[in-house]
Amino acid sequence: MCGIVGGIAERNISDILIEGLKRLEYRGYDSAGLALINNKNILRERRVGKVINLEEAAKEQHLNGHIGIAHTRWATHGKPTETNAHPHISGKVAVVHNGIIENYVEIKSELEQLGYIFVSQTDSEVVAHLIAEAMKTHPTLFNAVQSIVPRLKGAFALGIVHADHPEDLIAVREGSPLVIGVGIGEHFISSDQLALLPITNRFIYLEEGDIAHLTRTSVEIFKNHGKERIERPTKELDATVSHASKGEYKHFMLKEIYEQPEAIQQTIAQALNDNALRDDFLSDAVTSFQNIDQIQIIACGTSYHAGMIAKYWAEQLIDLPCQVEIASEFRYRSPVIIDRTLYVCISQSGETADTLAALRDTQKRAKDKGLNISTMAICNVPTSSMVRETDHHLLTLAGPEIGVASTKAFTTQLSALMLLLLKIGQVKKRLAESQLTEIVASLWHCPKVILDTLQHNAEILRLSELFVEKQHCLFLGRGTNYPIALEGALKLKEISYIHAEGYAAGELKHGPLALVDNEMPVVILAPKDDMLDKLKSNMEEVQARGGELFVFADEHSGIANKERQHVVDIPTVNPWLAPIIYSIPVQLLSYHVAVLRGTDVDQPRNLAKSVTVE
Ligand code: G6P
């Protein structure tokens, strides 16, 4: 999704802005641009495609300036062309914008009547012209920006510079993330702190409605659309630059798949002693847990699949009703907000627009009705909006996830969800001590089981060759492995572009069986659990129609290789944690198929890592 980088310094910041954009590439984009102020002129370059194209252009033109803004664009309004790329310019004003200006049509026609000529199809261009118009009646760039922000409807983050005001960089946050990087005698802005890590680890997080005025030596923030001065704290991060490097791996996705043992170890270590939950784990949430009768999970994409598994766990393990819903549906269907409910948002980024909006809407409705609810974020980014806006949070300690297809974020979400449910079960006395001890032991063992599962990589690579020419694929699982079937299908389609569907195996005969012929690969997730015999019957149904089976099965499940049945033995695992382990082979399968098909594994077409617009 779109990315913003900007800065004001004594030195030339052209390379810093480009490096920042490169660090945002993982989010997905289709064009890039930058504008620098030099000698009271705006120097702008924009290019379709990768940041490297922009970098070459900037080098050729010897772009140089101590203040500027840069952008990667993920097209929403208007095709990915150079004219639609940011920054947009109106006279002496240059603007980069993330998000959507919902009322741009109305503003555009007003501005056209005033004589402004629009050159792009974007919603963003109105902002540049509005500010240019406001500069006629306002003494400073800040005042001009402050006057136009209330006109804009929608979600946006803005970076603004003006050729005649080379000492002022203006930043606006309203619904799209924006952070200020604090350097020594220099300041930067970005939609993601990751872009700025090579130059600083000190950040100020803007809140919704903030407008910031940055000079080389000062930062002034005003809340409520710039009306009231406010001090926001500067936070120091310990994240290091090396986290965002591929190291010895060919792709971030592969690196992140292999990081899962460590990521899970870190995530569980914050909660567990040798054989129990630590007393201080989620201690701030104990009263909330005592006061809930059910859980409602809200999430998108892969995080939603994690939520689906938690529903099985919550109801089977601690007898607590649990609903899970896609945030983009939840937020618009006027759901009844229920008293004594824990609302859990699951999100890698903590900035997904639909999940955030669903959370805020829930909080507002609960407040209006005087309901007693609690909110919680399960999130990988400690500084994110979701973490800041919920009553409680549980961090997944996966480290930065760069590949658009989520891997380690997903399995750490599952680990965190299990920890959360163990804690709730303990607080509400719905969990036998022996069961708690058993699951804690299995969680500690999980990183080792993942390592053993990763040993099957070469075998999975060989199987992936049989998928390369396929057009379609089915994934089947039962119980907690039904969501893994959905996740496997999502992974395959998003990075290899093969059409894939995940189904609960019991649903096979209600439709998808009609698709099965000898061209259809069917992936089966077969841990050794109570549903195994039923799953074996489903496999027979596929084979009887000529389908080719690819089975990830427990080594003791009694499923053997035979003609058109390829079996990869997965180490035996406690059935409660099987979905964590069975995620690994489907991730590897999708990865290898995508590599063999030559797609852009880390940045698949049309997709974004952090979806900050609806
Ligand atoms: C995008 C990403 C997915 C992710 C989803 C939800 O679609 O490509 O990998 O699962 O957003 O993101 P979140 O950050 O809320 O988990």
Side-chain angles (χ1 to χ4, degrees), residues 300-304 346-352 355 386 401 403-406 413 490-491 494 607-611:
C300 300
T302 289
S303 299
Y304 168 69
I346 309 174
S347 176
Q348 187 284 128
S349 61
E351 302 292 352
T352 300
T355 314
M386 251 175 254
E401 189 181 67
V404 163
S406 188
Q413 282 168 353
L490 176 64
K491 289 278 90 79
E494 64 186 342
L607 298 181
K609 180 72 185 159
S610 183
V611 182

Side-chain angles (χ1 to χ4, degrees), residues 17 33-37 42-45 67-70 87 89 94 161:
L17 298 189
L34 97 164
L36 293 161
I37 308 287
I42 300 176
L43 310 177
R44 174 177 67 173
E45 284 298 330
I67 173 167
I69 47 179
I89 292 181
V161 292

Side-chain angles (χ1 to χ4, degrees), residues 114-131:
L114 290 173
Y116 286 92
I117 294 168
F118 282 76
V119 290
S120 78
Q121 286 90 48
T122 66
D123 54 330
S124 313
E125 194 181 346
V126 296
V127 182
H129 295 312
L130 268 181
I131 297 171

Side-chain angles (χ1 to χ4, degrees), residues 1-4 23-29 71-76 98-100 155 173 175-178 190-194 300-303 346-356 379-381 383-386 400-406 409 413 494 602-604 606-614:
M1 203 109 304
C2 301
I4 289 177
R23 296 171 68 86
L24 296 181
E25 284 190 296
Y26 78 98
R27 296 164 67 97
Y29 69 103
H71 192 259
T72 45
R73 174 172 185 256
W74 187 81
T76 56
N98 280 5
I100 293 177
R173 173 180 176 151
S176 278
L178 204 60
S190 181
S191 47
D192 183 337
Q193 65 209 18
L194 206 61
C300 300
T302 289
S303 299
I346 309 174
S347 176
Q348 187 284 128
S349 61
E351 302 292 352
T352 300
D354 283 323
T355 314
L356 203 49
C379 189
N380 199 35
V381 181
T383 50
S384 63
S385 304
M386 251 175 254
E401 189 181 67
I402 307 295
V404 163
S406 188
Q413 282 168 353
E494 64 186 342
D602 285 333
Q603 292 163 37
N606 307 339
L607 298 181
K609 180 72 185 159
S610 183
V611 182
T612 48
V613 296
E614 300 194 44

Side-chain angles (χ1 to χ4, degrees), residues 16 30 37 53 110 112 151 161 164 265 323 340 368 377 396 421 424 451 495 573 583 599:
I16 295 175
D30 38 51
I37 308 287
N53 302 342
E110 255 174 54
E112 278 172 336
R151 291 283 332 262
V161 292
D164 288 343
Q265 174 80 21
Q323 312 305 323
R340 294 176 59 83
D368 290 349
T396 50
L421 295 173
I424 296 175
L451 278 175
I495 60 170
V573 58
S583 303
T599 56

